[in-house]
Amino acid sequence: MKKISVIVPCYNEQEAVPFFYEEMVRVEKSMQNYSFELIFVNDGSKDNTINVVRELAAKDEQVKFIDFSRNFGKEAAIYAGLSNATGDYVVMMDADLQDPPALLPEMVRYIEEEGYDSVATRRVTRKGEPPIRSFFARCFYKLINKMSKTEIVDGARDYRLMTRRFVNSLLELSEYNRFSKGLFGWVGYKTKWLEFENVERVAGETKWSFWKLFLYSIEGIVGFSTAPLAFSAVVGIVFCIVAFLFICVIVVKTLVFGDPVSGWPSMVCTSLLVGGIQLFCIGILGEYLAKTYLEVKKRPIYICKDTNIDKE
Ligand code: UDP
Ligand code: MG
């Protein structure tokens, strides 16, 4: 009997977890030929999530939990789940039922019958999301796909079923700055995309503020493209060329017309502009340096405070 590991990152999800569990049990009933393990990763929740999960674990032995010492972020939670999963197939799902567990049988079918190594999902609508957020999300995907060789699909969710070998490949990427949407694409393999309409969360509220999403998008760009570095070099070259042409113009003008010195306002404007662009480019450089710094420190991706998974 094949085993499916379900990874559920939870951050302040005390209201959503019981709904999720109920729905999952319903789906499991329709998949009698498989055994399951549900790995709830409590990402330093400030509410009662861990106790809700512990209660489930006490009455259902397929429920496993990993309790983080603080909030490490969803990416760390996914990594913890992946490294502790023992199933033949592994799937990640949000606790808020925005990733409908009912799709699972279909996903398994694609892997078993059509030989895919991963079945990913993307939502085709962004219903229920603030329009400004959707707009920036679209821009982000356009931008990152122009800049990066790794394909990062617009609207892709982290809801994905993977075979063991896909998961093992993912685990080899043990980097500290994790951007799963890119990592999934980077490892390759044959991926089937399923589309579904956006579902609103069943309880609780979203953990992603606009600012958090913005920082996450920078993480994605820096992690999967070095184009901004090339961009700053190109801007530098363009400015050198422009400056050189200007010098020529001024020299000629002075020789031919004998112009007295004039126009200090334009001078101030140019130095401000050039100074600004220099700082901007240094900022880009700094962003990569910071990521490198965090990476070379080799800190653990998460710290597990307590778990009911015994790894032999
Ligand atoms: N999550 C997490 N750590 C965090 C933020 C979120 O584990 O720091 C989990 C959260 O509990 C949920 C999933 O990641 O299961 C997706 O979060 P959310 O539903 O808030 O994001 P949205 O669906 O609004 O993009
Ligand atoms: Mg959600």
Side-chain angles (χ1 to χ4, degrees):
M1 188 149 71
K2 290 240 154 100
K3 182 171 175 186
I4 303 180
S5 302
V6 183
I7 299 170
V8 195
C10 303
Y11 178 54
N12 298 344
E13 300 284 9
Q14 59 178 20
E15 291 100 4
V17 165
F19 287 109
F20 176 83
Y21 178 72
E22 224 171 85
E23 173 70 10
M24 211 43 233
V25 168
R26 213 179 53 75
V27 171
E28 285 176 20
K29 286 220 178 81
S30 69
M31 301 176 76
Q32 298 283 352
N33 302 335
Y34 299 88
S35 65
F36 284 84
E37 85 180 337
L38 306 181
I39 306 178
F40 289 92
V41 185
N42 178 38
D43 185 13
S45 299
K46 298 198 169 52
D47 65 359
N48 212 19
T49 307
I50 186 63
N51 293 327
V52 175
V53 173
R54 276 178 200 276
E55 270 165 37
L56 293 178
K59 62 173 198 215
D60 183 350
E61 61 169 19
Q62 63 167 3
V63 174
K64 306 275 190 281
F65 66 84
I66 302 170
D67 190 15
F68 282 3
S69 62
R70 63 168 171 86
N71 178 258
F72 279 89
K74 186 183 179 186
E75 293 292 346
I78 291 178
Y79 182 76
L82 289 175
S83 36
N84 285 283
T86 54
D88 302 290
Y89 305 136
V90 180
V91 61
M92 268 115 29
M93 285 185 208
D94 285 3
D96 57 9
L97 288 179
Q98 278 191 303
D99 299 330
L103 282 180
L104 204 52
E106 189 186 348
M107 294 167 95
V108 172
R109 197 178 59 74
Y110 275 110
I111 285 193
E112 296 198 330
E113 289 170 19
E114 302 195 15
Y116 288 97
D117 270 289
S118 95
V119 183
T121 57
R122 63 184 287 260
R123 45 181 188 173
V124 278
T125 56
R126 288 179 171 270
K127 188 173 60 110
E129 198 183 58
I132 180 101
R133 180 177 291 192
S134 309
F135 171 75
F136 278 107
R138 294 235 158 78
C139 293
F140 165 70
Y141 283 109
K142 274 206 195 103
L143 187 69
I144 194 163
N145 279 313
K146 285 234 167 68
M147 293 199 306
S148 171
K149 284 200 198 85
T150 307
E151 201 200 357
I152 294 165
V153 178
D154 185 3
R157 297 201 50 95
D158 290 332
Y159 183 18
R160 185 185 279 258
L161 180 72
M162 298 162 287
T163 57
R164 181 44 46 196
R165 61 180 178 192
F166 190 98
V167 173
N168 288 344
S169 305
L170 265 184
L171 286 174
E172 274 175 44
L173 310 180
S174 58
E175 58 210 69
Y176 183 79
N177 296 288
R178 305 187 70 77
F179 184 71
S180 284
K181 286 178 172 40
L183 299 179
F184 293 146
W186 193 90
V187 295
Y189 293 104
K190 228 168 94 180
T191 296
K192 169 78 190 169
W193 285 93
L194 297 183
E195 299 186 341
F196 69 93
E197 299 258 324
N198 191 31
V199 189
E200 291 190 39
R201 64 160 42 238
V202 44
E205 53 192 50
T206 176
K207 311 300 174 313
W208 296 87
S209 61
F210 189 80
W211 181 240
K212 240 176 140 181
L213 279 175
F214 176 73
L215 293 181
Y216 187 59
S217 66
I218 302 269
E219 187 119 319
I221 292 174
V222 175
F224 281 87
S225 163
T226 48
L229 288 174
F231 166 79
S232 54
V234 170
V235 170
I237 293 170
V238 169
F239 266 70
C240 286
I241 295 173
V242 171
F244 182 72
L245 293 179
F246 253 125
I247 292 170
C248 295
V249 170
I250 287 171
V251 167
V252 170
K253 241 172 114 184
T254 313
L255 290 179
V256 177
F257 304 104
D259 257 3
V261 180
S262 69
W264 77 266
S266 51
M267 187 80 163
V268 172
C269 293
T270 353
S271 25
L272 278 182
L273 176 70
V274 174
I277 287 176
Q278 275 177 345
L279 286 180
F280 177 65
C281 293
I282 295 177
I284 292 178
L285 196 61
E287 201 52 48
Y288 284 89
L289 188 63
K291 294 287 181 235
T292 316
Y293 178 54
L294 289 175
E295 213 62 69
V296 295
K297 283 204 263 195
K298 290 238 174 289
R299 287 191 178 157
I301 296 169
Y302 65 92
I303 293 175
C304 170
K305 189 166 72 178
D306 190 18
T307 174
N308 65 347
I309 302 173
D310 44 321
K311 264 194 164 175
E312 59 282 0

